[in-house]
């Protein structure tokens, strides 16, 4: 069961990376239907947070540093390593950027 969960998480992680190497959650404006194009905009903070949590759990279960590194990449989405370069930990920037990514 652990192997299946890690396989699914690895697939999701691969779908959630930009060509520039930063975390890019699938946007909620269209999502990612089978055979279709992934939505890039209307990214949600809950996706980044859930990815951090899932990757940290994978790291705890496997001791594979790869998972810890990807938890950090997902966390970096909050501090500006995202499509807009917006730091969502700064209230004024966050108000303008959230839901626009």
């Amino acid at each position: 069961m652990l192997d299946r969960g890690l396989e699914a998480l690895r697939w999701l992680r691969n779908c959630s990376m930009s060509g520039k190497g930063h975390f890019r959650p699938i946007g909620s404006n269209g999502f990612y239907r089978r055979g279709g194009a992934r939505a890039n905009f209307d990214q949600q903070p809950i996706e980044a947070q859930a990815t951090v949590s899932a990757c940290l759990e994978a790291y705890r279960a496997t001791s594979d540093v790869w998972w810890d590194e990807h938890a950090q990449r997902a966390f970096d989405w909050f501090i500006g390593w995202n499509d807009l370069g917006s730091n969502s930990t700064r209230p004024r920037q966050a108000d303008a950027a959230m839901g626009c990514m």
Side-chain angles (χ1 to χ4, degrees):
M1 182 174 286
L2 176 63
D3 289 338
R4 291 282 191 191
L6 293 171
E7 180 182 341
L9 183 57
R10 191 176 301 272
W11 173 84
L12 182 60
R13 177 263 172 214
N14 289 338
C15 292
S16 300
M17 296 301 290
S18 76
K20 295 179 181 179
H22 64 265
F23 178 72
R24 176 189 283 165
I26 296 168
S28 62
N29 186 6
F31 299 102
Y32 190 17
R33 304 211 190 288
R34 186 181 300 218
R38 59 164 281 141
N40 290 322
F41 296 101
D42 205 16
Q43 298 170 13
Q44 302 296 311
I46 190 76
E47 301 295 339
Q49 185 278 322
T51 301
V52 170
S53 293
C55 288
L56 288 176
E57 285 301 319
Y59 173 69
R60 287 184 193 107
T62 65
S63 299
D64 184 344
V65 173
W66 189 86
W67 291 112
D68 186 58
E69 291 168 357
H70 289 287
Q72 182 63 53
R73 283 198 180 170
F75 179 80
D76 288 345
W77 181 89
F78 290 103
I79 59 172
W81 204 25
N82 54 53
D83 290 340
L84 297 179
S86 176
N87 183 334
S88 65
T89 64
R90 293 190 178 137
R92 289 185 184 187
Q93 272 192 316
D95 290 347
M98 290 299 102
C100 295
M101 292 184 188

